[in-house]
Amino acid sequence: MTAFYSEHSQVWVSVDCIIFGFDEGKLKILIGRRKMDPGRGEWSLYGGFVRSDEGIDDAANRVLYELTGLRNLFMRQVGAFGNVDRDPGERVVSIAYYALINVKDYDDHLRKEHGVEWVNFDELPQLYSDHNKMVFKARKLMKQKIASEPVGFRLLPSLFTLTQLQRLYEAVNGEPIDKRNFRKRIKDMDFIEKTELIDKTGSKRGAFLYRFNKRAYNEDTNFKL
Amino acid sequence: MTAFYSEHSQVWVSVDCIIFGFDEGKLKILIGRRKMDPGRGEWSLYGGFVRSDEGIDDAANRVLYELTGLRNLFMRQVGAFGNVDRDPGERVVSIAYYALINVKDYDDHLRKEHGVEWVNFDELPQLYSDHNKMVFKARKLMKQKIASEPVGFRLLPSLFTLTQLQRLYEAVNGEPIDKRNFRKRIKDMDFIEKTELIDKTGSKRGAFLYRFNKRAYNEDTNFKL
DNA sequence: TCAAAAGTGTTAGATTTACACCCATGA
DNA sequence: TCATGGGTGTAAATCTAACACTTTTGA
């Protein structure tokens, strides 16, 4: 190690994950009670320390995998949080990431093993340290992202009805959307494919199921909801 | 220190600054030749290590102040960059920040002392380590920010002509703007105040100087350029 | 038979874009 | 006098938002 480095001090670096889900028409996030000191028992995001042999994105992916058993989740960095006193124990800089998952893909048994729960986004309790700040920023970025790229599908099953899709966008935007205008816009998006399958769980009449065609999207390029 | 922390490894954390300026109708950023190993002699962003007794935002502000002698610059975090091998020497996670400054506010003597130069944004050379990635992301965020909040003024003198303002927005967006439509939009923004002062440096006829009124903006709330 | 969700077009208003000429001045 | 940048309005096109009724079917 050269003198250039050694004259400076090192800190711990961790990652914290804001995991968004969508269920029963509501936006949710995954939180749990902290099992260690400091802050034992407080509501908290799930996280972990970055190891010396892994990049920060790799660390976030590892932590997400440990928690959910899922790979290739949609994940984006929220930013670094590094106030001196943010961690009551030691100096820790934490890098927040948000991820979008389909609630149904997450094995409920595994979820309970980790002691985490889906809570409604707008009934979020106070969280450990600066986690509320992280969640706030994650939400803002996620909202922007979903409005400009078709990643909302990551929160739904691979087959979904237009009403489900509308409810999702309503939950993300926090305001109701006109049904006819919404469907008109969807019809213009060639990468949302209608199938011949019908979902009967949401209504007596039944609704057509749609699917997102990633290939068609890549060719397309225009998105605006 | 509790066992909880000590079983994990620490890393160095640094900040790197993408400093945007606007001069002669072009968007510029401030870079210099690295004066230390590793990477001595390569073009690089200006940065520094985060100290154990300062937050990361404080570190960025300190580094900006060291370099420019300016306080209260408009500054935002770009994100954390933490690939294992991003720094050829040791494991360093770096947090990038971008700042907007008025080129004329930066004392040229001080600039030379630090050995940094204003280079045209679209003639950027290859930079040290992952600094090009940082610049790319900073540019994207800055563009978004300037389109949604009136912070572009931070790149101009406090008195400016409408043509200067238009050139700035053109440089940021990378495409020409219709003069009449632009001025129409500006007229609707009450927080851009016309003064009685006239700038004769840009034309024979002279052009009215305008100023940004922050107070009027805060009351206003609507911005869209 | 009726409650509940699915599905479907049109129109007015707002926003955005395109476009061309006269003005004032210093060289 | 002429070259240069400063300043101004209108009309067409596009986009957005508002709005109500019919269909299907299980309970």
Side-chain angles (χ1 to χ4, degrees):
Chain A
M1 184 196 308
T2 69
F4 168 56
Y5 295 100
S6 62
E7 67 192 34
H8 300 102
S9 57
Q10 294 180 293
V11 301
W12 282 278
V13 173
S14 63
V15 295
D16 284 304
C17 300
I18 296 97
I19 302 173
F20 289 102
F22 178 72
D23 200 23
E24 294 165 339
K26 300 237 167 136
L27 190 64
K28 318 231 164 185
I29 77 172
L30 210 46
I31 55 175
R33 297 278 185 184
R34 249 177 100 82
K35 296 197 184 77
M36 63 289 256
D37 284 311
R40 187 182 298 269
E42 292 181 47
W43 284 110
S44 164
L45 295 171
Y46 192 83
F49 285 93
V50 174
R51 296 179 183 158
S52 58
D53 61 347
E54 67 184 356
I56 56 175
D57 293 356
D58 302 325
N61 272 123
R62 171 177 55 78
V63 166
L64 279 170
Y65 177 70
E66 278 169 19
L67 178 64
T68 65
L70 302 170
R71 298 264 189 211
N72 298 121
L73 294 174
F74 180 85
M75 181 193 89
R76 286 292 180 278
Q77 191 190 119
V78 173
F81 292 74
N83 282 350
V84 173
D85 57 356
R86 59 172 294 283
D87 187 294
E90 292 285 339
R91 179 74 197 273
V92 181
V93 169
S94 187
I95 303 168
Y97 285 81
Y98 75 87
L100 305 181
I101 86 175
N102 170 14
V103 171
K104 301 290 189 296
D105 285 347
Y106 188 6
D107 181 69
D108 220 48
H109 197 257
L110 184 58
R111 180 181 66 69
K112 279 175 184 146
E113 264 180 26
H114 282 99
V116 291
E117 297 178 29
W118 288 111
V119 308
N120 286 337
F121 186 85
D122 35 50
E123 293 164 12
L124 205 60
Q126 179 151 11
L127 304 177
Y128 172 71
S129 182
D130 52 5
H131 288 192
N132 284 289
K133 278 204 304 205
M134 294 178 177
V135 170
F136 184 82
K137 189 170 174 193
R139 164 108 174 106
K140 191 173 135 184
L141 291 176
M142 176 271 237
K143 195 171 161 177
Q144 268 183 217
K145 180 59 83 180
I146 285 190
S148 64
E149 278 174 59
V151 294
F153 304 99
R154 297 301 199 108
L155 291 165
L156 293 175
S158 59
L159 290 170
F160 50 84
T161 67
L162 291 185
T163 300
Q164 280 178 288
L165 187 62
Q166 183 177 341
R167 295 285 170 267
L168 168 63
Y169 277 94
E170 286 172 335
V172 169
N173 292 327
E175 51 187 23
I177 301 175
D178 178 273
K179 182 163 58 155
R180 281 183 285 187
N181 292 336
F182 181 78
R183 283 164 183 249
K184 218 181 304 166
R185 282 192 303 254
I186 298 299
K187 216 162 261 167
D188 290 339
M189 299 179 189
D190 297 334
F191 52 87
I192 300 181
E193 292 179 344
K194 186 175 185 172
T195 68
E196 288 310 309
L197 305 167
I198 291 188
D199 169 272
K200 301 279 283 183
T201 64
S203 70
K204 294 163 181 174
R205 174 172 170 182
F208 279 105
L209 287 162
Y210 288 71
R211 87 159 58 90
F212 171 62
N213 182 332
K214 187 163 184 168
R215 189 159 307 159
Y217 171 68
N218 290 333
E219 289 157 15
D220 187 309
T221 194
N222 263 63
F223 181 86
K224 189 70 186 299
L225 200 104
Chain B
M1 185 195 310
T2 68
F4 169 55
Y5 295 100
S6 63
E7 68 194 32
H8 301 101
S9 57
Q10 294 181 291
V11 302
W12 281 279
V13 173
S14 64
V15 295
D16 284 303
C17 300
I18 297 99
I19 302 172
F20 289 102
F22 178 71
D23 200 23
E24 295 165 335
K26 300 236 166 131
L27 190 64
K28 317 231 164 186
I29 76 170
L30 209 47
I31 55 175
R33 297 279 186 183
R34 249 175 99 83
K35 297 197 185 76
M36 65 289 256
D37 284 311
R40 188 182 298 268
E42 291 181 49
W43 284 110
S44 165
L45 295 172
Y46 192 82
F49 284 94
V50 174
R51 297 180 183 158
S52 58
D53 62 347
E54 66 183 358
I56 56 175
D57 294 358
D58 302 325
N61 272 124
R62 170 177 57 78
V63 166
L64 279 170
Y65 178 71
E66 278 168 19
L67 178 63
T68 65
L70 302 171
R71 298 265 190 211
N72 298 122
L73 294 175
F74 180 86
M75 182 193 87
R76 287 293 182 275
Q77 190 189 120
V78 174
F81 292 75
N83 282 349
V84 172
D85 57 356
R86 60 173 293 283
D87 187 294
E90 292 286 339
R91 180 74 198 273
V92 181
V93 169
S94 187
I95 303 168
Y97 285 81
Y98 75 87
L100 306 181
I101 86 174
N102 170 15
V103 171
K104 300 290 188 297
D105 285 346
Y106 189 9
D107 181 69
D108 220 49
H109 196 257
L110 184 59
R111 181 181 65 70
K112 280 175 184 147
E113 263 178 28
H114 282 99
V116 292
E117 296 178 31
W118 287 111
V119 308
N120 286 336
F121 185 86
D122 34 50
E123 293 164 14
L124 206 60
Q126 177 150 15
L127 304 176
Y128 172 71
S129 181
D130 52 6
H131 288 192
N132 283 288
K133 278 206 302 208
M134 294 179 177
V135 169
F136 185 81
K137 189 170 174 195
R139 165 107 175 104
K140 191 173 135 185
L141 292 176
M142 177 272 239
K143 195 171 160 176
Q144 269 183 218
K145 180 59 84 178
I146 284 190
S148 64
E149 278 174 58
V151 294
F153 304 99
R154 297 301 200 110
L155 291 164
L156 292 175
S158 58
L159 291 170
F160 49 85
T161 67
L162 292 184
T163 300
Q164 280 178 289
L165 188 62
Q166 183 179 340
R167 296 284 170 270
L168 167 62
Y169 277 94
E170 286 173 336
V172 169
N173 291 329
E175 52 187 23
I177 301 175
D178 179 90
K179 183 164 57 155
R180 282 185 284 189
N181 292 335
F182 181 77
R183 290 159 106 101
K184 219 183 304 169
R185 283 191 302 251
I186 297 300
K187 216 162 262 167
D188 290 339
M189 299 179 189
D190 296 334
F191 52 88
I192 300 182
E193 291 179 343
K194 186 175 186 172
T195 68
E196 287 312 310
L197 305 167
I198 292 190
D199 169 272
K200 302 278 283 183
T201 65
S203 71
K204 294 163 183 177
R205 174 172 170 180
F208 279 106
L209 286 163
Y210 288 71
R211 85 158 61 89
F212 171 61
N213 181 332
K214 186 162 185 169
R215 188 159 307 157
Y217 171 67
N218 290 332
E219 289 157 16
D220 187 309
T221 198
N222 263 62
F223 181 86
K224 188 72 187 300
L225 198 106

